[in-house]
Amino acid sequence: MRSIDGAVLDLKRLDLLATGDSIIHRLDARAKVVTTLFFIVMVVSYKRYALAELTPFLFFPVITLALSNLPISYILKKIAAILPIAIFVGLFNPLFDREIHAVLGPISISGGWISLVSIMGRSALTVGSAIILIATTGFISICHALNRLGIPRVFTVQLLFLYRYIFVLTEEAARTTRARELRACGKKGLGFSSFGPLIGHLLIRTWARAERIHMAMVVRGFSGEFHSRQINRFGRNDYLYVIGWSLVFIILRSKDITAILGAACTGLFS
Amino acid sequence: MSHHIVEVKNLQHVYADGTIALKDLSFTIHHGESVAIIGANGAGKSTLLLHLNGYLAPTVGEVRIGGFPLTQETLPEIRRTVGMVFQDPDDQLFMPTVYEDVAFGPCNLGLPEEEVRQRAGEALEKVGAGHLAQKPPYHLSGGEKKRVAIATVLSMSPDILVMDEPTNGLDPFSRRQLIGLLKDFHHTRIFTSHDLDMVIELCERTIVLHQGEVKADGPTIEIFNNAQLLAECRLEKPLSMQGCPVCR
Ligand SMILES: Nc1ncnc2c1ncn2[C@@H]1O[C@H](COP(=O)(O)OP(=O)(O)OP(=O)(O)O)[C@@H](O)[C@H]1O
Ligand SMILES: [Mg+2]
């Protein structure tokens, strides 16, 4: 269960990265939130067999990552961590969808396989961009930005607390399991019978702790209002960022760039 | 200023599981006083402190801060007045970096950024944690966490400082530093402690809790000279009053 501990520290590291400095870090949170949301909507809007069309969208996360000074291997690992979920979602597509869509020499590829890979690609793109957003902006600033974009406070506060709660729960889980392991004297655990009370105990502790942390926030004047570290104005760079990327996304979405490039190439060589 | 009087009247608290943690407590603490609340483990010290900013509600009785009862309307203002440091610093630190955690309070007070930075910086310096500003709180040692937790409250310049075992887990130097800091703080101070030498140094007045009741309330020196009382309440004379074991 040490992995629980590790996973949380890792998540926290994501938040910590947001305190760094780079061109991307310095952009207004709203600009990054809007652009990322737009990117996600565009990627998700593709049909299930879309694959080649998606590849140019890689530019957005890759370029942002390159400009943001983030540890690339760490971000890639985070993205890789969610891929099993995507595989699970698309697991049965190859079984049910056996219509042949493409033939590569002796291998014929069914629609199911294509859609499975497409689901994985889209998950990697959307989750990747979301992770980069958090790592360059910080969750609190994101909530703050959503607020200023007109999302009601009720929702953003909920979101913020949910995020905090994940930390609290996993921290408590790590402590509890550590205490249990140490007292299990090297045995593989104390059997199933000790798990029920353990989980009940965990929930109560988490609840109490979340309440105390909320208290600590309230004591220090928290009234549901966010004050993010940098409250910058929406400047020229921000407009450029939002408009520039949006145009790119719209062009990519409306025209199949890969097909055009492909056609151009084949035209060139023939 | 009558503003910072803390009044506790017939306070009783029964926890949800039926534990009677406090039975019929009454006392008044005036502005500028420095009061220690001492007692054995489980005597009800932490429970009492959690009533002072409305975290727990009395089962019976009343708590008044600056003449106001703790109600839904007065609560935000009272929580701003009463700065509380919890027994467990992990409950108090929740932001990604130490600096942001210390700045959280002043930010919420709506102070301009320049002043927020100044206050956070000063508070961190006061507890000797300036060099930790950019670290994440969960990577600190126990004592460092405690110091930062104290800084998060100091940065709000509270009028009443309430601390649950502030020197617990501090090294001798930090403890000294904290004692000096509390000496310089001229508003009302209320804290619980098992560090009886600190109590002697800082507080003219001491309240002794025993099984949820006020067993004694008076000048610190008198209380520590009452051997019978101390024995009954599972306490003992501070080392500084016991005479040197080597010279004796
Ligand atoms: N949430 C709770 N539910 C039930 N009983 C509680 C709860 N918290 C504390 N108690 C009980 O209330 C009594 C007083 O606890 P409290 O935490 O106030 O003691 P304390 O004086 O602060 O002790 P210590 O010196 O160990 O910190 C104890 O008997 C404790 O078991
Ligand atoms: Mg206590």
Side-chain angles (χ1 to χ4, degrees):
Chain A
M1 282 299 198
R2 197 133 312 120
S3 57
I4 293 186
D5 222 356
V8 182
L9 280 182
D10 241 23
L11 257 186
K12 284 186 165 174
R13 179 152 173 229
L14 208 56
D15 244 3
L16 201 63
L17 287 173
T19 60
D21 190 31
S22 74
I23 303 177
I24 304 292
H25 281 84
R26 265 171 271 149
L27 288 171
D28 190 289
R30 283 169 295 177
K32 288 181 269 185
V33 168
V34 168
T35 311
T36 308
L37 282 181
F38 192 56
F39 173 79
I40 291 174
V41 169
M42 282 302 174
V43 169
V44 171
S45 73
Y46 274 99
K47 291 205 197 63
R48 57 187 310 194
Y49 298 128
L51 202 56
E53 301 92 311
L54 283 173
T55 37
F57 277 88
L58 259 175
F59 275 121
F60 175 61
V62 166
I63 290 178
T64 326
L65 199 56
L67 290 177
S68 61
N69 280 336
L70 296 175
I72 292 172
S73 65
Y74 170 75
I75 301 288
L76 289 182
K77 261 188 237 156
K78 289 284 98 177
I79 298 173
I82 59 97
L83 279 185
I85 301 174
I87 293 178
F88 191 73
V89 170
L91 194 59
F92 295 108
N93 287 9
L95 286 182
F96 292 127
D97 185 354
R98 287 160 181 260
E99 199 182 319
I100 304 301
H101 272 248
V103 181
L104 275 183
I107 314 163
S108 46
I109 300 170
S110 73
W113 283 107
I114 295 181
S115 65
L116 171 62
V117 176
S118 174
I119 287 176
M120 285 169 60
R122 275 180 284 178
S123 312
L125 282 175
T126 50
V127 172
S129 62
I131 286 175
I132 294 171
L133 174 67
I134 297 179
T136 55
T137 315
F139 204 76
I140 294 176
S141 295
I142 292 176
C143 288
H144 189 233
L146 286 174
N147 236 334
R148 295 210 289 172
L149 287 169
I151 310 281
R153 268 226 313 253
V154 202
F155 293 114
T156 50
V157 173
Q158 283 302 322
L159 203 61
L160 188 71
F161 279 132
L162 190 69
Y163 187 70
R164 273 296 322 164
Y165 194 74
I166 295 173
F167 287 137
V168 175
L169 181 72
T170 38
E171 265 166 35
E172 288 295 341
R175 283 189 215 197
T176 312
T177 45
R178 184 170 60 193
R180 179 173 167 282
E181 261 173 21
L182 289 179
R183 275 184 283 170
C185 302
K187 269 181 270 165
K188 201 75 192 129
L190 302 178
F192 270 119
S193 60
S194 75
F195 255 111
L198 192 81
I199 294 203
H201 185 78
L202 180 65
L203 286 181
I204 293 173
R205 265 175 50 165
T206 312
W207 181 260
R209 184 168 209 92
E211 228 173 38
R212 287 197 301 269
I213 289 176
H214 177 238
M215 181 68 205
M217 297 175 85
V218 170
V219 168
R220 290 195 264 147
F222 180 77
S223 52
E225 197 92 44
F226 296 110
H227 303 272
S228 72
R229 221 162 23 98
Q230 341 115 298
I231 303 191
N232 27 21
R233 268 174 289 123
F234 210 85
R236 200 169 51 108
N237 281 351
D238 302 309
Y239 281 111
L240 275 178
Y241 187 78
V242 174
I243 296 173
W245 278 117
S246 302
L247 279 179
V248 171
F249 300 156
I250 290 170
I251 293 171
L252 287 180
R253 184 71 184 87
S254 56
K255 295 222 176 8
D256 191 346
I257 295 287
T258 24
I260 295 173
L261 281 180
C265 285
T266 39
L268 222 69
F269 287 118
S270 62
Chain B
M1 269 202 284
S2 69
H3 201 72
H4 308 134
I5 289 186
V6 176
E7 284 174 283
V8 173
K9 280 188 209 153
N10 305 107
L11 177 64
Q12 186 187 348
H13 189 85
V14 183
Y15 277 110
D17 66 351
T19 312
I20 303 173
L22 301 174
K23 345 177 177 158
D24 203 30
L25 292 188
S26 298
F27 56 83
T28 304
I29 293 173
H30 296 280
H31 177 69
E33 266 193 296
S34 167
V35 179
I37 295 171
I38 61 173
N41 292 140
K45 304 179 297 291
S46 299
T47 309
L48 170 61
L49 291 196
L50 290 177
H51 280 84
L52 299 185
N53 67 354
Y55 178 66
L56 292 178
T59 310
V60 180
E62 190 184 27
V63 175
R64 294 172 86 92
I65 308 284
F68 295 106
L70 293 173
T71 63
Q72 216 54 46
E73 292 87 61
T74 58
L75 216 49
E77 183 53 33
I78 283 176
R79 284 176 173 167
R80 221 153 294 165
T81 323
V82 181
M84 176 160 314
V85 180
F86 296 111
Q87 188 162 2
D88 181 355
D90 278 327
D91 291 343
Q92 199 135 9
L93 306 172
F94 47 80
M95 296 289 278
T97 67
V98 166
Y99 172 81
E100 281 176 278
D101 225 317
V102 177
F104 182 84
C107 273
N108 281 326
L109 294 180
L111 299 175
E113 203 182 322
E114 194 44 48
E115 193 175 345
V116 169
R117 201 169 312 141
Q118 188 193 337
R119 277 200 189 194
E122 274 174 16
L124 280 171
E125 278 318 316
K126 270 188 195 162
V127 296
H131 62 291
L132 301 173
Q134 294 311 322
K135 281 197 107 178
Y138 52 90
H139 277 164
L140 301 182
S141 80
E144 288 170 340
K145 276 186 197 164
K146 191 92 195 182
R147 272 147 55 189
V148 172
I150 293 169
T152 62
V153 170
L154 289 181
S155 67
M156 303 218 24
S157 340
D159 296 317
I160 301 174
L161 197 53
V162 178
M163 297 185 166
D164 203 345
E165 306 195 12
T167 53
N168 195 8
L170 296 191
D171 61 37
F173 182 84
S174 314
R175 172 177 172 273
R176 260 297 130 217
Q177 205 173 25
L178 181 67
I179 292 178
L181 190 150
L182 288 175
K183 268 188 183 154
D184 286 342
F185 188 85
H186 290 296
H187 299 296
T188 311
R189 284 145 288 173
I190 304 172
F191 54 80
T192 72
S193 191
H194 296 298
D195 181 350
L196 302 180
D197 292 291
M198 176 182 76
V199 169
I200 269 205
E201 239 178 282
L202 284 178
C203 309
E204 311 88 63
R205 177 174 166 200
T206 295
I207 296 174
V208 182
L209 286 192
H210 183 57
Q211 297 181 350
E213 286 177 285
V214 175
K215 195 77 176 185
D217 178 355
T220 305
I221 299 292
E222 266 175 40
I223 285 178
F224 284 138
N225 276 323
N226 187 341
Q228 193 195 346
L229 172 76
L230 292 181
E232 271 174 28
C233 300
R234 297 166 60 107
L235 296 168
E236 65 177 25
K237 255 191 195 181
L239 295 175
S240 54
M241 282 178 72
Q242 286 183 7
C244 172
V246 182
C247 321
R248 195 162 42 192

